[in-house]
Amino acid sequence: MEHTKTCQRPISLEKRLAATYLVAALVTAGLAGCAAGPDFQRPTAPDVARYTATPVADRTASTPTRFGETQRLVEGLPIETQWWQSLGSSALDGLINDAFHVSPTLASISANLRQAQELLAAQAGSTQYPQVDVALGSQRQQMSPSSQGLSGDARQFSLYNASVGVHYNLDLAGGNRRALEALAARADYRRFELNAACLALAGNMATAAITRARLAEQLEATTAILRVQDEQLRLAHERVRIGQASPDEALSLQAQAEQTRAELPALRKQLQQTEHLLAVLAGRAPGTGGIPAFTLADFTLPVEMPLVVPSELVRRRPDIQASEALLHAANADYGVAVAKLYPQINLSANRGSQALTTGALFGGGSAVWSLVAQLTQPLFNPGLPAEKRAALAAFDAAAANYQSVVLESLRNVADTLRAVESDAQTLTALAAADMAAQASLQSVERQYRLGAASYLQLLIAQQQALSIRINMVAAQAQRLVDSVALYQALGGGAS
């Protein structure tokens, strides 16, 4: 009889659970668009048509020298994902592609991205679906009849229980949805951070390779100048010996030669440091070697360069996209703080069995079950309004940071466009000076062969040509660097 009473269930537990969660699902669906806090609105694109106060020429100056081609700025020209290939160096292409696979910086950021994605999945799994737990337990008890006003000896017995519990938070105010939204935005932030790191790595490696090539040629030219100055100094000492020159002339030439000699260690240091940087960027130890000896002859100047309007720039630069993702997360965090001010509804159900022996636990034990619906409404909690205000302040800070990133990005593009324009003009002027110096050198060489010019005059003309050559190499390399900088400023290829 007792066993019969225990098993009586006017309405089955399964039907109760099904009805309860059907109602919960319907209510949740009805409130899906009612999450606390404002929905996120993407910031409007900057209302500017160009990057600079005065228009930038769509064609650069040209000159008949290496890297002196005209560069055209083509609006709407698609940017290749592997934009660095436009520099024409297969060695650089291979080095960058290898770096993408072994760079510890990218590996760290990629791990952060995976962590953010898993945190999102964990939060979604714990809030979007009911939680089901299984519990098994046993306890040893002693009961004294005297505690209930009865006589008799104390009785000891074991009690075993097994149960299945279901718990669900009915997201009435949308706090859980806002929390998921914030985590999704932070996962987006990590993804854009990875894109920005890839763009920076490629740009830094390309710039370092071009710098290495420039320093190598400048070191070669400076060494040649020193040879000319040493020869001038030898002739000066000879002239002093035969009384055709004063010691002051020799001392002046010696000072020039020693000054040039002092430049060589500095150039070698910069060259070696650049090679070390390239190795580390490529994910290698500097001492392992294997870095190509880049020369300027390895590169070509891109003659068509892309240009995007400011309104498109904010949708493609990864640093701006990352800042927007943080703004989105701050907006969702504010929604979470607002949701805490509203009622919270928690539903739970348990069904289990109790028995005095393990054998009877799943067969003849006593069935037990419970259904619980709990509504909680904060009445007095001064911390919650403060938390809401703090979340709003964080959103304001994220909005200001976004504006700052956009302005800096616009400045970056403006500076780069002016550099592309101005550095082409600089190379044109230096090319003219180089042509004049070469013509002067050829004239002196002809005069020297005819005996109309001295050997010293020839050395002076050679030194002047080599000095201009050093500046020419710097200007030529700068045009390549400007091209890399523009690709970076525009956000690289589509991500």
Side-chain angles (χ1 to χ4, degrees):
M1 184 67 178
E2 184 178 348
H3 176 72
T4 303
K5 285 184 178 180
T6 305
C7 293
Q8 285 181 345
R9 290 180 294 172
I11 301 178
S12 68
L13 177 62
E14 290 78 5
K15 292 182 179 179
R16 288 175 180 266
L17 290 176
T20 300
Y21 287 113
L22 176 60
V23 173
L26 292 175
V27 173
T28 302
L31 294 174
C34 303
D39 291 333
F40 178 70
Q41 301 292 330
R42 296 192 71 179
T44 57
D47 187 20
V48 292
R50 59 193 184 199
Y51 295 97
T52 56
T54 56
V56 177
D58 59 355
R59 291 175 178 268
T60 65
S62 64
T63 186
T65 186
R66 182 174 59 178
F67 308 137
E69 300 92 337
T70 294
Q71 282 187 311
R72 295 192 305 114
L73 297 174
V74 182
E75 189 172 309
L77 181 68
I79 304 177
E80 297 295 331
T81 302
Q82 297 184 341
W83 52 266
W84 52 88
Q85 293 181 350
S86 64
L87 298 173
S89 172
S90 58
L92 177 62
D93 297 343
L95 197 63
I96 291 177
N97 291 334
D98 291 343
F100 282 160
H101 292 92
V102 299
S103 169
T105 300
L106 296 187
S108 174
I109 298 176
S110 180
N112 289 336
L113 172 58
R114 295 197 307 273
Q115 180 191 28
Q117 292 170 337
E118 294 301 332
L119 287 174
L120 173 60
Q123 182 73 4
S126 62
T127 59
Q128 289 186 320
Y129 307 99
Q131 305 299 302
V132 181
D133 301 313
V134 176
L136 294 173
S138 67
Q139 55 182 321
R140 185 70 174 169
Q141 294 186 2
Q142 176 176 302
M143 184 182 70
S144 175
S146 61
S147 62
Q148 300 179 0
L150 302 175
S151 60
D153 298 331
R155 180 185 176 186
Q156 294 183 349
F157 61 94
S158 297
L159 182 64
Y160 301 92
N161 59 78
S163 64
V164 176
V166 181
H167 310 276
Y168 183 70
N169 175 262
L170 184 61
D171 194 19
L172 186 64
N176 291 340
R177 293 193 295 279
R178 289 302 189 199
L180 288 176
E181 185 181 347
L183 288 173
R186 289 187 171 89
D188 287 339
Y189 166 75
R190 292 300 185 184
R191 177 165 57 86
F192 294 132
E193 185 183 36
L194 180 60
N195 293 341
C198 291
L199 176 62
L201 178 62
N204 291 339
M205 293 188 70
T207 301
I210 296 168
T211 302
R212 194 269 172 209
R214 170 181 65 80
L215 290 171
E217 291 202 15
Q218 288 182 323
L219 179 61
E220 181 181 354
T222 304
T223 302
I225 289 176
L226 180 61
R227 287 196 297 266
V228 172
Q229 289 177 335
D230 284 341
E231 182 65 13
Q232 290 177 345
L233 181 60
R234 186 189 67 79
L235 292 177
H237 284 305
E238 183 65 22
R239 294 174 61 214
V240 170
R241 187 183 65 81
I242 61 177
Q244 294 183 352
S246 67
D248 291 342
E249 180 181 343
L251 290 174
S252 176
L253 290 173
Q254 182 178 2
Q256 294 178 14
E258 295 304 327
Q259 183 177 6
T260 302
R261 199 185 315 276
E263 295 175 2
L264 294 178
L267 285 172
R268 291 193 190 98
K269 179 185 72 173
Q270 294 178 47
L271 177 63
Q272 292 163 354
Q273 289 177 340
T274 304
E275 291 175 343
H276 299 163
L277 174 61
L278 267 173
V280 172
L281 290 173
R284 308 175 186 178
T288 57
I291 300 300
F294 291 103
T295 64
L296 290 179
D298 297 330
F299 300 96
T300 57
L301 182 72
V303 294
E304 287 191 344
M305 296 296 296
L307 182 63
V308 300
V309 295
S311 59
E312 182 183 348
L313 180 73
V314 298
R315 304 301 185 215
R316 63 176 296 113
R317 269 190 61 139
D319 57 341
I320 299 179
Q321 292 174 312
S323 181
E324 181 181 323
L326 291 179
L327 180 61
H328 190 172
N331 181 84
D333 288 338
Y334 176 71
V336 173
V338 172
K340 293 180 180 180
L341 299 172
Y342 292 93
Q344 306 292 321
I345 298 179
N346 291 288
L347 305 176
S348 63
N350 287 276
R351 182 179 186 274
S353 176
Q354 290 184 341
L356 297 177
T357 64
T358 57
L361 188 59
F362 300 101
S366 300
V368 294
W369 59 268
S370 66
L371 288 173
V372 178
Q374 184 179 25
L375 172 66
T376 304
Q377 169 63 55
L379 294 180
F380 179 73
N381 187 344
L384 294 181
E387 186 175 344
K388 174 185 172 182
R389 293 192 298 271
L392 182 58
F395 175 81
D396 292 340
N401 179 71
Y402 174 82
Q403 294 175 353
S404 176
V405 172
V406 170
L407 290 175
E408 283 297 318
S409 299
L410 295 176
R411 182 188 65 83
N412 182 206
V413 177
D415 289 348
T416 306
L417 289 175
R418 287 304 187 194
V420 169
E421 182 181 49
S422 299
D423 291 337
Q425 297 170 355
T426 299
L427 180 59
T428 299
L430 285 173
D434 182 64
M435 291 177 61
Q438 293 297 328
S440 175
L441 176 60
Q442 292 174 3
S443 176
V444 173
E445 286 176 341
R446 286 194 300 269
Q447 295 178 33
Y448 176 72
R449 285 192 299 268
L450 296 174
S454 66
Y455 183 44
L456 180 59
Q457 290 176 309
L458 176 61
L459 293 176
I460 293 174
Q462 290 176 343
Q463 180 178 345
Q464 181 184 23
L466 287 170
S467 297
I468 295 177
R469 177 64 182 163
I470 290 177
N471 294 330
M472 274 281 292
V473 168
Q476 290 168 342
Q478 190 59 46
R479 293 209 69 190
L480 292 172
V481 171
D482 290 342
S483 301
V484 173
L486 183 58
Y487 278 118
Q488 283 188 276
L490 297 177
S495 56

